[in-house]
Amino acid sequence: MNAVAELVRIRSLSELDIARIVAIDERLSGVYRPEVWERRIMYYLRRDPDASQVAEMGGKVVGFMLSDLRGGEFGLEETSGWIERFGVDPDFQGRSIGRKLFEAVVEHLKRQGATTVRTLVEKKDSELATFLRAVGFKDAPLTALEMRIGLSAAKDQN
Amino acid sequence: MNVEQTTLPKKYHDAVLHWQRHNFPDYGLLPENWQKYFPSDPEFCLCAKMEVGMGDEVEVGDAKGAKRREKPEELGEEPAKHLLAIIRAQASTEFGSIQQHEGTFARAQDDEDRFWVLRVMAEELRHGYQMFHLLVSQDWSGVSGQKAEEMVEEILSMQTGSHVLDAFNLEYDSFVDNVVFAAVIDRVGKYQLSMQRVCSYKPFAASMPPMLREEAFHLAAGVIPLRRWVQRAAQGNALITTSAIQKAFNKWMPRGLEMFGHEKGGESNIRFGFKNMKNAEAQGLYYEECKRMIADLNQRYIRARLPKLSPEDAEALATRLLKDRARHDGISHEDLIELPAKGFFRRKGDAAFTMVGFAEEAFTDVEEYVRHLAAHLPEPYLASRDMKHYVESLRQVVAGTITRDQAMKKMPALKRVGGMCPCSKSVRWVVEEGATTLPS
């Protein structure tokens, strides 16, 4: 473990992390969308604040991983942990922050009875897929399917 | 979750439900609307939850390393008395906050905010229930001098004005209080619960993690509406102005700081292994956390006004506006929110009745200080019984007719009410087994 990694503090999500998560997302996506994160973080806080973790360096949140424990999704009756949102400030990438967040989340999910952790990755997001494989994810025997409906679907067909 | 759930013996469970009918009549709205506002969340359960897998060793204090205590008599008389006072105070805060919320929660302008507060209230009811579980599942009579029934009855009889801590004796003036209370006073709750997680009395320690998880939602139910309100205020579509929010902070922050106890205290809690921080240390961390909350709100306001600013630039602008008391790009320092000084409007602790101003100014003239308070506190609150008593006591302290210590002990001014249910003078909160009950 290098000196920088030792300074990373991993802790449970709190409502005061919204501003920094919004800022990290803005750096990653180029879009400022506080309303989205207020809604999402409220969801994770009311479900289980310990299932979502943030990484702090020097008192500043530099990464986050939001997850939830659910059963019965898509016919999967076993209780599964779902990792749904994840981000590390570009200035702090390459310092094992994602891995530390992942380990803390998995540790908590295991304690709560999860036997599997699941997630979905966009095919074009190869960087994220590489990270997830590096921490131990493998292809699942499930296929993600979707169908556009509504206005955008009509446009696509035209 | 890794928790064991348990319900109270029937007479206590019924007593809590009876109390709920009088003090929390809107409770029934929660199950009716649960799926709409909290889809896929496990349904609310009025029960005690004990975390499974808490360590068996005392973590701090004189008995560090020894086996955690599981019965009051294992604690020793003085620590048991001390812990009993903590449990009773905690129970009082849980039921007290419901009484406060109930007065104004229906005035929310947004249904989502209203149902968040309703869930907060239900979870506070569960937390009070949790404390009752601690009181009635073991025999405390050796240190309480009371039967369990009497302790429960005394707590259920308290009203706004007769609770143990001052913060729970103030009426709410509007829905702004529901939200600011959740952001400011529930935050003290989070600190207390976190500190008590180490408690050498195992049933109390095991009660903390489930309560803490729920408390995280309570804080969000305060902070997220505040974030939305300041954004709307910045966009000229203010349901709630930043000035109204500021005044509500000024009303609650001093009471929140006092909930930690006197700044010089907390030694016994450490010695007995009940908490892992002294009062001043915890209060200091709390104050810094509140500063951060306010800085986030100001950043949300500034970016709603000047969306092209980066988060860092917005933060720097807020700092500059507040430091220089200036105006920039149409934003004034008065549009932002500030934390009052630690000594502002205090009635307990180091700064009690010392006439410290909002920005830490020192006042010597009592009438000038009262005018200063009037300019910084919500108008409806100025006419409250609580404010009247505070000002009377302050004048007496300044005139030298009472000491600061005497003034501190004078608040709150109301006496405890008796142990009767308000629906009938002949029905007690806790009904003895086999006794005849009258319909409420």
Side-chain angles (χ1 to χ4, degrees):
Chain A
M1 192 183 289
N2 63 36
V4 174
E6 282 171 26
L7 297 172
V8 179
R9 180 183 167 228
I10 306 291
R11 61 161 173 81
S12 299
L13 175 73
S14 99
E15 82 295 342
L16 294 186
D17 299 324
I18 295 173
R20 275 299 299 158
I21 291 175
V22 168
I24 292 169
D25 173 59
E26 190 177 359
R27 291 207 65 191
L28 295 169
S29 69
V31 187
Y32 175 60
R33 42 183 183 177
E35 298 87 355
V36 168
W37 289 102
E38 284 161 0
R39 211 167 37 245
R40 293 314 299 169
I41 288 169
M42 174 51 112
Y43 171 83
Y44 292 106
L45 286 174
R46 69 168 211 248
R47 300 278 301 176
D48 175 8
D50 300 326
S52 297
Q53 300 278 324
V54 298
E56 265 186 1
M57 287 185 75
K60 179 179 175 177
V61 171
V62 297
F64 62 92
M65 186 172 281
L66 309 183
S67 88
D68 185 20
L69 196 71
R70 297 196 297 266
E73 306 268 326
F74 312 110
L76 302 165
E77 287 309 318
E78 62 182 343
T79 304
S80 306
W82 287 85
I83 293 178
E84 293 166 327
R85 301 282 196 287
F86 162 57
V88 175
D89 186 323
D91 289 346
F92 295 86
Q93 288 177 2
R95 302 184 193 195
S96 300
I97 289 171
R99 180 177 284 274
K100 283 173 184 293
L101 285 165
F102 177 76
E103 285 166 357
V105 163
V106 167
E107 184 56 38
H108 176 77
L109 294 172
K110 260 201 240 172
R111 275 202 308 271
Q112 301 306 319
T115 51
T116 311
V117 188
R118 302 176 192 277
T119 191
L120 288 170
V121 191
E122 280 197 65
K123 283 200 174 124
K124 63 184 179 187
D125 199 341
S126 58
E127 204 177 323
L128 181 56
T130 304
F131 165 74
L132 291 168
R133 286 184 190 284
V135 296
F137 276 90
K138 294 184 170 47
D139 287 335
L142 292 168
T143 306
L145 298 175
E146 66 176 19
M147 181 176 80
R148 288 181 173 272
I149 53 174
L151 197 60
S152 57
K155 276 182 190 165
D156 287 351
Q157 280 167 8
N158 293 333
Chain B
M1 285 299 160
N2 233 347
V3 294
E4 273 174 6
Q5 298 188 353
T6 178
T7 48
L8 291 172
K10 188 174 183 306
K11 70 172 174 179
Y12 297 115
H13 185 88
D14 289 349
V16 172
L17 287 178
H18 193 99
W19 181 94
Q20 167 268 310
R21 286 200 290 278
H22 284 290
N23 293 276
F24 185 14
D26 294 303
Y27 180 60
L29 291 173
L30 192 63
E32 285 170 25
N33 292 278
W34 188 266
Q35 280 310 317
K36 181 173 178 190
Y37 293 99
F38 312 109
S40 76
D41 286 10
E43 284 193 7
F44 175 75
C45 166
L46 184 59
C47 58
K49 297 180 183 175
M50 309 299 278
E51 186 86 351
V52 176
M54 298 292 287
D56 281 330
E57 278 190 10
V58 176
E59 295 177 41
V60 294
D62 293 348
K64 186 176 175 182
K67 191 170 179 292
R68 266 193 164 125
R69 282 46 170 155
E70 302 201 24
K71 292 180 182 302
E73 59 267 28
E74 293 170 7
L75 288 164
E77 189 180 346
E78 198 196 343
K81 269 188 183 164
H82 195 93
L83 182 61
L84 180 62
I86 292 175
I87 296 172
R88 288 162 85 154
Q90 180 90 43
S92 158
T93 66
E94 310 294 359
F95 290 103
S97 70
I98 298 167
Q99 291 166 326
Q100 289 169 298
H101 278 301
E102 181 66 36
T104 49
F105 104 102
R107 293 192 222 163
Q109 286 161 319
D110 182 290
D111 272 348
E112 187 173 57
D113 292 352
R114 188 160 66 97
F115 278 94
W116 285 356
V117 168
L118 192 68
R119 177 168 167 173
V120 167
M121 293 163 74
E123 289 176 350
E124 301 295 8
L125 188 69
R126 197 199 75 68
H127 295 180
Y129 192 98
Q130 182 89 27
M131 292 301 110
F132 280 178
H133 171 68
L134 297 177
L135 291 178
V136 308
S137 60
Q138 294 290 337
D139 181 9
W140 293 88
S141 60
V143 288
S144 69
Q146 281 181 309
K147 290 187 202 161
E149 289 93 324
E150 290 167 335
M151 290 193 285
V152 166
E153 195 158 297
E154 187 181 62
I155 292 161
L156 292 181
S157 302
M158 293 176 182
Q159 299 288 330
T160 309
S162 62
H163 281 284
V164 178
L165 300 174
D166 291 349
F168 300 85
N169 288 324
L170 307 185
E171 303 277 1
Y172 288 5
D173 304 317
S174 72
F175 191 71
V176 179
D177 279 336
N178 294 74
V179 164
V180 173
F181 185 95
V184 171
I185 302 298
D186 281 42
R187 191 171 305 282
V188 183
K190 179 188 82 169
Y191 271 83
Q192 298 293 0
L193 299 177
S194 300
M195 289 190 283
Q196 289 162 186
R197 205 159 34 180
V198 304
C199 188
S200 54
Y201 183 62
K202 194 172 182 182
F204 194 53
S207 297
M208 297 302 121
M211 289 170 75
L212 264 167
R213 284 193 280 272
E214 289 162 353
E215 209 66 34
F217 165 72
H218 302 184
L219 294 175
V223 167
I224 293 175
L226 282 170
R227 290 177 59 90
R228 292 172 176 171
W229 289 350
V230 298
Q231 183 229 2
R232 292 181 77 157
Q235 292 170 337
N237 181 20
L239 289 171
I240 314 288
T241 62
T242 52
S243 163
I245 296 168
Q246 176 71 69
K247 287 185 174 182
F249 268 104
N250 299 348
K251 173 180 170 182
W252 293 108
M253 271 305 295
R255 304 291 80 79
L257 290 166
E258 287 165 357
M259 283 171 67
F260 287 91
H262 197 288
E263 285 83 350
K264 291 190 176 66
E267 178 72 40
S268 310
N269 285 326
I270 308 254
R271 204 156 40 84
F272 298 149
F274 296 158
K275 298 185 187 183
N276 58 358
M277 272 191 276
K278 288 190 197 171
N279 298 349
E281 184 188 359
Q283 191 201 54
L285 291 172
Y286 166 79
Y287 191 73
E288 288 307 309
E289 192 171 298
C290 288
K291 263 190 194 166
R292 214 177 108 210
M293 166 173 56
I294 299 248
D296 284 352
L297 292 175
N298 287 337
Q299 195 190 103
R300 185 84 167 88
Y301 180 93
I302 288 175
R303 294 208 66 195
R305 290 281 295 268
L306 306 170
K308 287 188 178 156
L309 285 190
S310 68
E312 294 75 20
D313 289 343
E315 198 177 332
L317 176 59
T319 307
R320 199 164 72 236
L321 285 171
L322 292 172
K323 184 166 173 275
D324 301 342
R325 318 308 288 171
R327 210 177 166 82
H328 178 85
D329 278 349
I331 303 177
S332 159
H333 67 94
E334 290 172 334
D335 296 328
L336 305 182
I337 302 169
E338 290 178 86
L339 210 53
K342 266 188 176 175
F344 173 72
F345 188 36
R346 291 286 299 275
R347 59 182 66 166
K348 295 268 166 64
D350 269 342
F353 298 98
T354 54
M355 298 201 289
V356 174
F358 175 83
E360 222 170 353
E361 317 92 298
F363 285 80
T364 50
D365 182 286
V366 67
E367 299 312 322
E368 194 187 338
Y369 187 61
V370 171
R371 283 193 295 277
H372 176 78
L373 292 179
H376 286 84
L377 292 167
E379 202 178 327
Y381 174 61
L382 298 176
S384 69
R385 190 176 44 189
D386 179 78
M387 187 68 188
K388 188 167 162 270
H389 281 124
Y390 168 80
V391 172
E392 275 171 11
S393 299
L394 180 67
R395 285 185 177 129
Q396 288 174 314
V397 169
V398 175
T401 55
I402 59 171
T403 64
R404 282 175 57 216
D405 274 350
Q406 287 168 327
M408 280 190 244
K409 286 175 188 144
K410 249 180 100 186
M411 312 286 288
L414 287 182
K415 286 182 184 159
R416 301 272 156 83
V417 293
M420 293 294 177
C421 159
C423 68
S424 165
K425 284 186 179 169
S426 57
V427 176
R428 295 176 69 85
W429 283 112
V430 179
V431 181
E432 296 295 339
E433 298 290 349
T436 307
T437 55
L438 296 176
S440 55

